[in-house]
Amino acid sequence: RGVEDRRVRQRLEKENAELHGRLQVTQRQLQNERRLRAASVRPPPPAAPTIAELARLVAKQEHRALQFDRGGDARVAEKKLLAKWHPDKQATSANADFATKVFQELQAIAN
């Protein structure tokens, strides 16, 4: 009976060692997966532009359109553009606030 017990014990120790090895491999794989997931975290999206930045972009676009207007007098087109964005010509106060910023940017570009 002693020989049989020794064999059973050896077999169990061998199985235990194999299971322990598998456990270590699985734990390493899990750690690697966690590292990969942490590394692949997307950066936050860029912040939305501010009202001032939007006004600057609109003014640049509007002024750029003047540069390609070959049909008429540039000064007349510029005056029409300034009239379009004049705060007093806007329907609501919210539009007037934004138009004021665009108007100021246009004036800065024109000068």
Side-chain angles (χ1 to χ4, degrees):
R1 189 159 200 231
V3 173
E4 189 177 320
D5 286 345
R6 216 176 315 132
R7 285 184 188 159
V8 169
R9 189 177 312 143
Q10 287 174 345
R11 187 177 47 110
L12 288 176
E13 286 174 357
K14 184 178 177 182
E15 286 178 15
N16 189 23
E18 287 175 7
L19 288 175
H20 185 69
R22 284 185 193 170
L23 177 64
Q24 287 179 335
V25 168
T26 304
Q27 286 175 336
R28 273 186 251 130
Q29 288 173 342
L30 183 61
Q31 286 174 347
N32 287 337
E33 287 177 19
R34 286 180 181 158
R35 274 191 220 114
L36 287 174
R37 272 193 228 125
S40 68
V41 172
R42 294 182 182 148
T50 64
I51 298 296
E53 291 170 336
L54 285 176
R56 190 172 303 115
L57 289 172
V58 168
K60 284 181 182 178
Q61 287 294 94
E62 291 278 24
H63 193 265
R64 196 171 296 141
L66 281 181
Q67 294 172 343
F68 295 109
D69 181 23
R70 306 219 190 278
D73 185 19
R75 187 68 189 146
V76 171
E78 190 175 309
K79 282 185 180 184
K80 284 183 181 181
L81 183 61
L82 289 173
K84 172 184 173 182
W85 286 101
H86 196 282
D88 293 342
K89 303 286 185 184
Q90 305 305 311
T92 66
S93 64
N95 289 358
D97 292 341
F98 182 68
T100 300
K101 290 176 178 39
V102 174
F103 188 78
Q104 290 169 346
E105 291 293 333
L106 284 169
Q107 286 179 322
I109 291 172
N111 294 333

